[in-house]
Amino acid sequence: MQLWHVGRVSHPVFQPGGAAPVEPTAMDVPGKTFIIDADGNGA
């Protein structure tokens, strides 16, 4: 079972070398992704 797959919406911090995730299309993604660091700041 696949519980979660963010695909092209994945945050670059989870990609090799901090690169942008690979997308099947150049369409814009609605919204924004971010992660919270140890200090509680969004990145």
Side-chain angles (χ1 to χ4, degrees), residues 1 3 9-10 12 15 20 35 38:
M1 175 184 341
L3 299 177
V9 185
S10 177
Q15 304 300 319
I35 59 170

Side-chain angles (χ1 to χ4, degrees), residues 1-4 6-7 11 17-18 20 23 29 32 37 41 43:
M1 175 184 341
Q2 182 173 327
L3 299 177
W4 186 35
V6 295
H11 194 280
E23 305 178 26
V29 176
K32 180 179 177 182
D37 65 15
N41 301 310

